[in-house]
Amino acid sequence: MRPLGLQRLWQTYALWVAGLVTLVLAISGLAQLWLIQRETRGAVEARQALEAAKAAARIERFIGQIDTLLQATLRLQDTRHLGDTDTDIQFELYRLLKQSRAIQELYWIAPHGQERVRIARMAPDRIGVGEDRSQSPEFLHAGAEAPWFGPVSFVGNQPRVVMALRGRLPESGVLAAEIELAQLRQIIDDTRFGREGLAYIVDGQGRLMAH
């Protein structure tokens, strides 16, 4: 029979060993949980980045298609394949309006800043009015290489933005389009971030465009 003191010593030692083992297992379990959480978070962030990239590509394609249409019309003016009368421009803008449902309004500004022709889906045409737009932001800031975009405005509950391009020749003037951005909402609806994730689109100044 072991002496009482030795027996107590062994019991104390066993308790210490058991406690140490329990502590090690607890730490190991917590470490595994942390690793799982980190991997899960990384997977979620990767998925979010992928969804955001896909949405951004669709938005860029949507804007790029309208940019291409405006560029093609301006190219006709640059190469003098478009007649110079207001009626010629009016018919070309009709043709352009039919090619994109997102375009709600088009107007052509002459080189000195006078508006020559304006057509819209929901308003009468304005031909030869000659309104001075020489100080308008679209006339002042539109470039030939990349489109200029105005601030987002809302007509009803639909976001719209003015997009403007300048011809490569000074006498070609500026072509501006008011674009309805309702398609952005469809892009948002198709973008998924889990059950409770939220997606929204803002413009360059951080203003909400669609959610």
Side-chain angles (χ1 to χ4, degrees):
M1 178 179 293
R2 294 179 180 175
L4 182 59
L6 184 60
Q7 184 177 1
R8 289 179 177 176
L9 180 61
W10 276 106
Q11 289 176 347
T12 302
Y13 176 74
L15 289 172
W16 274 100
V17 170
L20 182 60
V21 171
T22 301
L23 179 61
V24 170
L25 290 175
I27 293 174
S28 176
L30 289 174
Q32 289 180 358
L33 287 175
W34 179 79
L35 289 173
I36 292 172
Q37 182 183 22
R38 187 178 67 172
E39 291 174 358
T40 302
R41 183 187 302 169
V44 170
E45 290 176 352
R47 177 66 178 176
Q48 290 176 343
L50 177 61
E51 290 293 329
K54 289 165 58 178
R58 291 181 62 185
I59 294 169
E60 185 176 358
R61 186 162 56 249
F62 165 68
I63 297 297
Q65 289 171 348
I66 298 175
D67 180 26
T68 299
L69 292 175
L70 298 185
Q71 291 277 12
T73 298
L74 281 167
R75 196 174 300 117
L76 292 175
Q77 182 75 339
D78 288 338
T79 57
R80 295 296 177 262
H81 285 87
L82 177 63
D84 195 45
T85 68
D86 290 344
T87 301
D88 292 329
I89 294 175
Q90 181 185 21
F91 281 124
E92 174 58 24
L93 295 188
Y94 280 151
R95 186 189 68 82
L96 179 56
L97 195 68
K98 292 178 180 178
Q99 295 185 63
S100 175
R101 290 181 298 175
I103 298 176
Q104 300 298 307
E105 190 169 280
L106 289 162
Y107 52 100
W108 203 304
I109 305 174
H112 298 294
Q114 288 75 37
E115 181 183 300
R116 292 187 59 180
V117 178
R118 179 186 291 260
I119 66 169
R121 295 187 185 275
M122 303 298 293
D125 294 352
R126 293 172 32 147
I127 310 297
V129 175
E131 179 181 347
D132 184 12
R133 302 192 66 85
S134 60
Q135 298 304 308
S136 67
E138 58 267 36
F139 182 78
L140 293 173
H141 302 300
E145 299 298 331
W148 171 86
F149 293 95
V152 175
S153 60
F154 285 83
V155 177
N157 64 343
Q158 296 294 347
R160 292 188 180 184
V161 68
V162 173
M163 176 180 179
L165 278 164
R166 188 178 299 275
R168 296 185 181 278
L169 298 179
E171 56 268 29
S172 295
V174 170
L175 177 57
E178 186 174 278
I179 304 167
E180 188 174 84
L181 303 176
Q183 187 171 332
L184 298 185
R185 290 184 173 174
Q186 182 60 51
I187 294 174
I188 288 295
D189 289 341
D190 294 340
T191 303
R192 291 288 179 263
F193 295 111
R195 293 182 180 179
E196 300 179 357
L198 299 175
Y200 53 90
I201 300 173
V202 296
D203 65 10
Q205 285 72 46
R207 290 170 293 199
L208 183 65
M209 297 171 62
H211 63 88

